[in-house]
Amino acid sequence: MWGGRTRALSRLWGLWPAGVLGRRPLSCNAASLEGSNSAHCWNCGGPGGPLRGDGFFCPQCRALQPPDPTRDHFSIMDCNRSFRVDTVKLQHRYQQLQRLVHPDFFSQRSQTERDFSEKHSTLVNDAYKTLLAPLSRGLYLLKLRGIEIPEGTDYEMDRQFLVEIMDINEKLAEAQSEAAMKEIESIVRAKQKELTDNVSRAFEQDDFEKAKEILTKMKYFSNVEEKIKLKKIPL
């Protein structure tokens, strides 16, 4: 009986967020990289081929090489494959890579290099945005292990948690003052901090089912955060 009521209430309040990550990280497959499987530079034929390590350019002719389709976001951003990420280092790496591959620096180069630059820049942007936020970073770590959280899994959450989320949504709907909004923001921020600490421990212990459960809760609170932002926007 509770399961049916919970699903109905979840639909009513819009508890399950649609696409926290925004858009899916770009998939870099062989068909889209115009010869990225070649072991040699596309321009001069010298040893080069797909991007390996930080060798973005052919050592002989300095032509920009295509992205390496085997690299994940952590490799691109020079991070260990871990939930704990140094965000300052991440930002510096992002700035460094964009200075190397941003399309603005290739406007006078060949069309092939301009195309590769677009692909590199998109991959770098996706990697940076995904790893910067704890929720998207955790979801990506699970994805690398073949674990994804499907939409509509509210029935798997415990009753106490769903009641808590519904109460926060009710308070948000009724909030009419700046003080009330700040109180709700403070509650949600504290909850997200607690969940982030918990999911970090789960990943450290390789407890991926626990991580999946906690990240699901973080998705609910992320949805509340989006509602708070929308309510702050003056009509």
Side-chain angles (χ1 to χ4, degrees):
M1 179 177 180
W2 169 256
R5 179 170 178 265
T6 296
R7 285 191 291 273
L9 288 170
S10 296
R11 287 192 296 270
L12 175 63
W13 286 103
L15 298 180
W16 185 258
V20 172
L21 289 178
R23 59 190 179 91
R24 185 172 299 178
L26 181 67
S27 175
C28 189
N29 55 47
S32 67
L33 289 181
E34 299 143 50
S36 64
N37 289 329
S38 170
H40 300 279
C41 172
W42 62 271
N43 185 52
C44 71
L51 169 63
R52 300 291 177 183
D54 279 345
F56 284 78
F57 302 91
C58 171
Q60 272 76 39
C61 70
R62 302 303 298 167
L64 181 66
Q65 299 300 294
D68 180 353
T70 67
R71 300 186 78 181
D72 62 30
H73 290 345
F74 290 95
S75 175
I76 291 172
M77 302 309 294
D78 193 26
C79 296
N80 293 328
R81 190 182 286 191
S82 166
F83 184 77
R84 291 186 180 273
V85 169
D86 185 335
T87 55
V88 174
K89 178 184 175 183
L90 186 70
Q91 185 175 15
H92 289 165
R93 172 70 171 172
Y94 171 74
Q95 293 169 344
Q96 173 196 31
L97 292 180
Q98 288 294 27
R99 283 194 293 268
L100 286 175
V101 301
H102 195 278
D104 286 352
F105 300 122
F106 291 85
S107 60
Q108 303 301 315
R109 305 291 285 270
S110 69
Q111 184 61 51
T112 299
E113 287 181 280
R114 292 201 297 270
D115 291 343
F116 288 158
S117 173
E118 291 280 356
K119 290 182 173 71
H120 279 301
S121 186
T122 299
L123 286 168
V124 169
N125 281 327
D126 284 345
Y128 175 69
K129 291 176 182 177
T130 299
L131 299 187
L132 184 63
L135 175 57
S136 55
R137 186 192 317 140
L139 292 173
Y140 184 69
L141 272 171
L142 288 185
K143 184 177 180 180
L144 291 176
R145 292 186 170 271
I147 304 172
E148 297 198 50
I149 302 175
E151 301 294 331
T153 56
D154 54 279
Y155 65 90
E156 297 179 359
M157 303 308 298
D158 63 84
R159 172 176 176 171
Q160 182 178 355
F161 175 76
L162 291 174
V163 169
E164 179 182 17
I165 288 291
M166 285 185 283
D167 286 344
I168 291 174
N169 272 283
E170 287 176 357
K171 290 178 181 177
L172 179 59
E174 296 169 358
Q176 299 297 325
S177 66
E178 183 178 352
M181 292 289 291
K182 285 185 176 180
E183 180 182 357
I184 297 169
E185 278 188 290
S186 178
I187 292 172
V188 173
R189 192 181 303 114
K191 290 291 183 180
Q192 286 287 52
K193 173 64 168 61
E194 178 185 353
L195 291 170
T196 299
D197 292 341
N198 291 341
V199 79
S200 180
R201 285 192 290 270
F203 276 116
E204 288 173 358
Q205 297 166 6
D206 290 337
D207 190 344
F208 302 115
E209 282 304 312
K210 185 66 175 179
K212 179 180 177 181
E213 175 189 339
I214 297 170
L215 287 166
T216 302
K217 292 181 178 180
M218 290 176 70
K219 289 184 77 171
Y220 280 90
F221 279 111
S222 178
N223 188 41
V224 176
E225 288 173 332
E226 289 302 314
K227 291 180 181 179
I228 291 172
K229 290 178 183 177
L230 289 174
K231 190 158 185 174
K232 281 183 168 183
I233 298 174
L235 299 178

